[in-house]
C-alpha cells in the first residue's frame, strides 16, 4: 500500500490585500503560472480544526515568535456537506524552524483521525507511518491537547511552471471560523468572519528563494508583508486571548466605499 504520509519544507510570505486587488494579482500571475489542478474556478474550501492546550501554549508560542514551534490540526479539503467518518482528512503537524515552515501529515478517514486526536487511541498504521502516528499521540496525551478553534476559507491556488516549479501562490478569502461545535459535520455551525470579508490573504510559498518577478510585483502593487495566522486571528476574535499587535482589525481595513460615494468624493475634491 502506498504511504499516506506526506512532508515538505518551504518559506512562506503573507500579504493582506482587498479581494478586488487579489483578483487582479491572480490574473496577472496567471500569465506566468498555472492553476493548481486541484483548484477549480472559484476555488475550494479548506477547513481546519486546531488543537491546543488549556493554556493555549501553541497560540502563545506564535505570539512570542519562538524559533521552534508546532501546531496540530485536522484538515478537510472541500465542502463540509456530507462529511462522514469515512471522509478523507489530513492529520497534520505544522512547525516552524527559524524561517522555514515544515509540514508533516497523514491522510486518514475522519473517524479514525478523531479516534487518534480526540479519543487518544492508537490507530492502525503501517511501519512507515508509525513514527508520525506516535508523535501525534504523544503530543495529544502529554500536552492534554483539545479542540480549540475551527477555521475555514475559500482558496484559489496557482503553481509555478518551468524554472518556478517550486513556487505556489494561494489566495484565501471569506476567512471565518468558530470556537465550538468542533465536528466538521455540524448541521448549522455558528461561523463568523475572523478577517474582514472584503480582505483576502495572499501567500507566496517557495522551496528556496522567491523569484525576482514576484518581488517586483509586490513592490509595484505596494504589497506589505504581514505576520498573520488564521488560528491566532480566530483565538483573538472569539475572545479566548487578548488581541495582540498582530491582530487584523476591521477598522484598519475599511471596506471599499460604494461607487456613488466614491464619485461624490471625487466631485467634491474637483470642486475644491
Amino acid at each position: 500500500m502506498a504511504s499516506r504520509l506526506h512532508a515538505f519544507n518551504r518559506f512562506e510570505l503573507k500579504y493582506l490585500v482587498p479581494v478586488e486587488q487579489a483578483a487582479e494579482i491572480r490574473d496577472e500571475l496567471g500569465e506566468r503560472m498555472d492553476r493548481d489542478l486541484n483548484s477549480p474556478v472559484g476555488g475550494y474550501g479548506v477547513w481546519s480544526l486546531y488543537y491546543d492546550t488549556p493554556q493555549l501554549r501553541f497560540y502563545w508560542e506564535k505570539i512570542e515568535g519562538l524559533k521552534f514551534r508546532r501546531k496540530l490540526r485536522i484538515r478537510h479539503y472541500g465542502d463540509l456537506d456530507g462529511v462522514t467518518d469515512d471522509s478523507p482528512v489530513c492529520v497534520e503537524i505544522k512547525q516552524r524552524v527559524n524561517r522555514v515552515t515544515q509540514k508533516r501529515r497523514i491522510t486518514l478517514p475522519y473517524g479514525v483521525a478523531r479516534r487518534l486526536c480526540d479519543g487518544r487511541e492508537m490507530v492502525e498504521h503501517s511501519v512507515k507511518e508509525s513514527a508520525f502516528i506516535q508523535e501525534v499521540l504523544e503530543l495529544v496525551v502529554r500536552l492534554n491537547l483539545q479542540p480549540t478553534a475551527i477555521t475555514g476559507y475559500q482558496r484559489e491556488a496557482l503553481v509555478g511552471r518551468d524554472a518556478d516549479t517550486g513556487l505556489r501562490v494561494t489566495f484565501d478569502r471569506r476567512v471565518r471560523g468558530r470556537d465550538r461545535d468542533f465536528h466538521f459535520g455540524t448541521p448549522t455551525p455558528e461561523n463568523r468572519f475572523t478577517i474582514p470579508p472584503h480582505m483576502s490573504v495572499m501567500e507566496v510559498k517557495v522551496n528556496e528563494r522567491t523569484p525576482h518577478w514576484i518581488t517586483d510585483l509586490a513592490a509595484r502593487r505596494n504589497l506589505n508583508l504581514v505576520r498573520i495566522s488564521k488560528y491566532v486571528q480566530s483565538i483573538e476574535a472569539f475572545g479566548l486571548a487578548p488581541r495582540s499587535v498582530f491582530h487584523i482589525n476591521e477598522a484598519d481595513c475599511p471596506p471599499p466605499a460604494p461607487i456613488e460615494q466614491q464619485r461624490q468624493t471625487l466631485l467634491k475634491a474637483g470642486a475644491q
Side-chain angles (χ1 to χ4, degrees), residues 251-270:
D252 300 327
C253 307
I259 298 298
E260 181 60 27
Q261 182 178 339
Q262 294 181 26
R263 191 177 73 84
Q264 292 298 329
T265 300
L266 291 173
L267 288 175
K268 289 180 180 179

Side-chain angles (χ1 to χ4, degrees), residues 2 5 37 55 58 72 82 110 113 129 132 136 153 171 191-192 195 203 224 234 237 244 250:
L5 279 172
L37 294 177
Q55 297 77 31
F58 295 159
L72 174 68
Y110 183 38
E129 299 163 349
F132 182 77
V136 170
Y153 44 88
F171 296 90
N191 293 318
R192 57 180 283 193
I195 290 177
E203 295 187 30
N224 296 314
S234 292
S244 66
E250 189 158 4

Side-chain angles (χ1 to χ4, degrees), residues 10 44 72 76 86 94 128 132 172 193 198 205 226 251:
R10 64 191 178 197
Y44 56 95
L72 174 68
H76 172 77
D86 295 325
K94 181 179 181 180
K128 290 184 178 180
F132 182 77
D172 299 335
F193 287 108
H198 59 278
K205 308 168 187 184
V226 294

